[in-house]
Amino acid sequence: MKTIILLTGVASQQFALTELLKAHNPALSFRCAVTADDLAAIEPEVLRDARLLAFTTSVIVPESMLAALGHGAYNFTPARRNIRAGRRRISRSMTAPAPSARRPM
C-alpha cells in the first residue's frame, strides 16, 4: 500500500488525520477529497495501490471506485446518540423471522 485516500466531511479534518497516520507510517502518501468530484479526479493507477478512509462524510463512493481500490476501504461514522433504542430495533429485527421464512398455518 502506497497511498491513503482521505475522504472527509470538511477539509479541516484532513490535516490532523494525515499527521496522525504519517506518524505510524512516514512512507505513505496521501490524497485528500471532500466531494465526489475530488474522488473522481484520482487516477486509476493511484487507486490500485491505495486504501480509502472515509470520515464523517455523506459522499457515496461509486462501486467502480471501491472495486478499483487495491487495499479496500473503511467508513468511519459517528455513533448514534440513542444507543438503547437502536439496540431494541436491531434485537427485534434479528429475532423476527423474515416473511418468506414463516411457515403457513
Side-chain angles (χ1 to χ4, degrees), residues 60-72:
I60 306 289
V61 179
E63 188 176 331
S64 60
M65 177 170 272
L66 292 173
L69 290 166
H71 296 277

Side-chain angles (χ1 to χ4, degrees), residues 31 33 35-44 47 62 65:
R31 297 290 293 268
T35 66
D37 288 339
D38 295 340
L39 283 178
I42 298 172
E43 302 83 4
L47 297 175
M65 177 170 272

Side-chain angles (χ1 to χ4, degrees), residues 78-92:
R80 296 175 74 166
R81 287 186 180 191
N82 191 347
I83 293 173
R84 287 189 179 148
R87 284 186 187 153
R88 273 187 297 223
R89 277 192 291 263
I90 291 169
S91 176
R92 268 191 242 132

